Amino acid sequence: MLHLTPSQSIHPSLQSKTHISLLQTCTTPQQLHQLHALTIKTATFHQISVSSRVLSLSTDPKIGNFDYAISVFDRIEQPNSFTWSTIIKCSVENHRPDDAIVLFCELLEESVVEPGSYVFPCVIKGCAQICAIEEGKQIHGLVLKTGFGSELYVRSSLVNLYCKCGEIGLARALFERLERKDLVSCNAMLGGYVKVGEITAAQRLFDEMPARDSFSWTVLIDGYSKCGKVEVAREIFDRMPSRSLVSWNAMINGFMKLGEFESAHELFNTMPRRNTVTWNVMVAGYECNGLYVEALEVFDFMLEGGEKPDNATVASALAAVSGLALLDKGRWIHSYMDMNGFMLGGMLGTSLIEMYSKCGSIENALTVFHSISKKKLEHWTAIIVGLGVHGMADYSLKLFTEMQRSGVKPNSITFIGLLNACSHAGLIKDGLWYFNLMKRDYGIEPAIEHYGCLVDLLCRAGHLEVAKSFIDDVPMKPNKVIWMSLLSGCKNHGNIEIGEYAAKHVMDMESGAIGCYVLLSNMYAATGQWDKVSTVREMMKGTGVRKEPGCSLIEHNGTIHEFVVGDMSHPQHEDIYAKLHEMQEKLKCNGHIPDTTQVLLCIKGEKEKESELATHSERLAIAFGLLNVEPGRPIRVIKNLRICNDCHSVTKLLSKIYNYEIIVRDNSRFHHFKNGSCSCMEYW
């Protein structure tokens, strides 16, 4: 605590010197606030030597902060070049580049001070942070006009700007005209080459550099990793005279991106120290490659070691939870976020909504959504998409209307969610209306995904001829997904001719498309064309295509239980098969007739076909759920393939017979089975 007794008898010039001397010893926020108040009370703040010192201290993150610095700057009556450069630099360092550019404009318009060699590099760096290339070019023009074009630091900043914005030609031209190429400008140019993929030019520059630092080596490692030459990146990493933490992280990230997980893990285990970025690279690397279990193991290991995750770590962990549909684990992470003060206003709110949606708990997703006070586009889009895949189209469309009223403008992904919702609910008129609304009111040009949603909508409703004509009129080449939607619709509605037409297009695009062969085979089987089923099976053998085995997962007490068709490996298999037998008897009593049309052709007898259906992976998972999940709680199953017609009918009946809500997530959507009905109304 400073004890200050200002005296009115002291001469102003002496007061200002005294205050400057005191400010030079200031080390805490409290001292800064006291001295700032003293300068105002004694009117010395109006002396630029004092106010500039107060401002300088306010920009020090150990003592002040950006908002405080802005409040100080706004009260300086006639800022000089130093104070302008100080506040603009503070804006950039606090990741407020927009404010830096606005302040620079105010300097030009309202001040008699001309920008100097200290101001230009700061505002140019701000432009680089947000790739404001047009503003950067205007400032470049002003640099030349005011005679600062020959300043090394200014020109290096411009090289960095053009590199960050991908204008490699302009950057190279400026760089080559530098009389003295220092380490900063060389590193900027090196980063620019890597950014645009010119790794040969980057290597040439690296070899020519008279001096290199850790950043130089790390940028080159990152460049080779990005272009798939991870072996070269490793050689450079091994040659580094002194490896920084950033270089370790870059190398691990390179291995992760190429799927070399063992090499990444080996480096991770041998590095001398780690930071949050290291953990993020590992968790996100596993998650992005579909290794969700490994991602969560690393996340748990991080927490066990006392490390603090950041928003990116938690978002990757939630994405891994979504991939496995581990609702209990997702709830635990949500609780951890609440206890540790994570805010839901940004990407974490979106991640939580998506996690709960993909884990089958749309109620929790809605709770999270409604708890966010300032909802952003990403939050609206996540819940609209989630409601759509859960078959809650009416609610999805209602929230879209609320979003419009709130003034939030939708993007192309929002409309994909809306069109999917309409598709799953069979809302043809609504789907067409939103498709036109997207173009008419929001100027969003439809992408192939939007056209695919409309095709799917028409096919689900049985308008196959219209869908075929629509595909022919799409202004871009239809992709595999569109043709598969048409084929699926033909299988469901028994249109062999158009189905064969769609299958041909899929096979022309991808001869090994397993889903196409399966749908075509099932379409023929449904109409009793067994000779054609045999032909398709032979085609599959000829191309080496093998059907992916069905697999179903169910989580119980934090453990994932996995089942495949006819599985006998589970510790509870005797109880599970006893429950299966009980289920079969109750299904028969309730009038269920098995649909054996899609059973493998090699299984001949009707009883054998029924037995094969009875041990499908999702039924084993449901039997396990009936044995272990307490009444009143839903049974949640995730399946890697589409649920077959017979299992869909069976699960509807089982939900009524046993009075359980059963939620199945297959590779198409969610199915909420309750009291003998399903959220998809009928199975497509």
Side-chain angles (χ1 to χ4, degrees), residues 448-523:
I448 193 67
E449 291 82 7
H450 300 102
Y451 288 109
C453 289
L454 272 191
V455 170
D456 190 56
L457 172 59
L458 293 167
C459 290
R460 286 173 184 270
H463 301 299
L464 303 173
E465 291 286 355
V466 177
K468 180 176 175 293
S469 299
F470 181 79
I471 293 171
D472 293 336
D473 293 335
V474 169
M476 55 194 76
K477 185 179 179 181
N479 61 10
K480 173 189 163 186
V481 175
I482 286 180
W483 290 115
M484 285 292 288
S485 293
L486 183 59
L487 176 57
S488 180
C490 291
K491 189 269 290 185
N492 293 325
H493 296 283
N495 192 317
I496 302 295
E497 182 182 349
I498 297 180
E500 290 175 337
Y501 173 80
K504 182 180 183 304
H505 279 85
V506 176
M507 291 177 187
D508 287 344
M509 297 175 78
E510 185 184 333
S511 60
I514 178 63
C516 175
Y517 291 101
V518 172
L519 283 174
L520 194 60
S521 174
N522 289 344
M523 181 176 70

Side-chain angles (χ1 to χ4, degrees), residues 347-368:
M347 69 172 179
L348 287 184
T350 305
S351 297
L352 268 180
I353 293 168
E354 290 177 347
M355 182 275 290
Y356 280 124
S357 295
K358 291 177 180 178
C359 289
S361 181
I362 195 65
E363 300 84 5
N364 284 123
L366 283 164
T367 300
V368 171

